[in-house]
Amino acid sequence: MISDKSELRRHYLALRTSLGDTSKQAAELINTLLRLPEWQSADVICSYMPTRDELDVTPLMAAALSSGKGYALPLTLSGAASGEMVFCLVTTPDDLSVGRFGIREPLPHCPRLTCAQLERALCVVPALAFDTDGYRLGYGGGYYDRFLKNFNGISVGLAIDACMSPTPLPRTEFDVAVDILIGERQVIRTNEQ
């Protein structure tokens, strides 16, 4: 069993690369998400732009916008408040450009959302792996944990079986679990455990 986060990151990065095309699994996880009551009641969907063999969640933009919901993507902030991000409303891929870390981010004209505007939001959180308690293994920057600490909406993780840790992932007091974990075989509401 690997207990060091940096070793686990290397393990899951290599594993994800070896999996090849995961578009079928991603589509099935997204379909499960779209059927949840938490998706139906959300007025804003916060998501991410996939990178490094992450699950392709880009179909969520069309699903959100066609349902009359706002769709937001993260913008990482530089400067004194490093390690922080905000979510900005986007309506088309043309609202994005390559930002920090080589990930497409919202352009400056995209409206930034406040915590109050995200109270009825659902946030799809990326990860290298999740455990069944909803804790995630990210890339180590802490952006999502900082964001989730003050987020009052519903957070969701999508995980294919290969990226579900059979044992609890290492965690610190700064790590924040997602509220709902959608796997290939089950939906776990971690706040009900």
Side-chain angles (χ1 to χ4, degrees):
M1 179 175 88
I2 305 170
S3 60
D4 177 67
K5 277 190 175 185
S6 58
E7 286 181 45
L8 279 167
R9 284 186 187 99
R10 283 191 293 275
H11 169 76
Y12 280 107
L13 277 169
L15 176 65
R16 277 202 332 210
T17 300
S18 73
L19 293 174
D21 183 13
T22 57
S23 58
K24 182 178 180 224
Q25 293 99 321
E28 289 170 1
L29 295 171
I30 288 170
N31 284 336
T32 300
L33 172 61
L34 298 179
R35 291 191 303 268
L36 293 182
E38 292 86 354
W39 170 276
Q40 301 300 323
S41 63
D43 53 16
V44 176
I45 305 301
C46 299
S47 190
Y48 62 91
M49 288 301 297
T51 183
R52 301 188 231 179
D53 298 314
E54 287 176 330
L55 290 175
D56 182 5
V57 294
T58 55
L60 290 176
M61 178 186 276
L65 296 175
S66 69
S67 299
K69 301 176 187 302
Y71 185 77
L73 290 170
L75 173 67
T76 55
L77 303 176
S78 58
S82 65
E84 293 184 36
M85 66 182 186
V86 295
F87 277 86
C88 303
L89 288 173
V90 296
T91 56
T92 172
D94 292 337
D95 287 337
L96 307 172
S97 68
V98 176
R100 296 180 71 192
F101 313 113
I103 301 170
R104 295 182 61 180
E105 294 186 335
L107 290 166
H109 73 270
C110 297
R112 291 184 182 189
L113 298 172
T114 65
C115 286
Q117 292 171 306
L118 293 174
E119 285 184 5
R120 292 190 37 166
L122 183 144
C123 183
V124 180
V125 181
L128 289 165
F130 286 95
D131 65 22
T132 57
D133 293 329
Y135 285 92
R136 55 185 280 280
L137 179 67
Y139 294 103
Y143 286 89
Y144 275 89
D145 289 318
R146 284 183 196 90
F147 170 76
L148 291 174
K149 185 175 143 189
N150 298 311
F151 178 63
N152 292 320
I154 303 291
S155 57
V156 177
L158 305 176
I160 59 174
D161 287 348
C163 295
M164 287 284 286
S165 176
T167 59
L169 291 167
R171 58 188 81 144
T172 69
E173 68 272 16
F174 302 110
D175 294 319
V176 179
V178 293
D179 299 308
I180 301 171
L181 181 58
I182 299 173
E184 292 181 69
R185 303 175 203 288
Q186 62 186 333
V187 174
I188 301 170
R189 286 179 167 75
T190 63
N191 52 5
E192 294 177 358
Q193 290 183 349

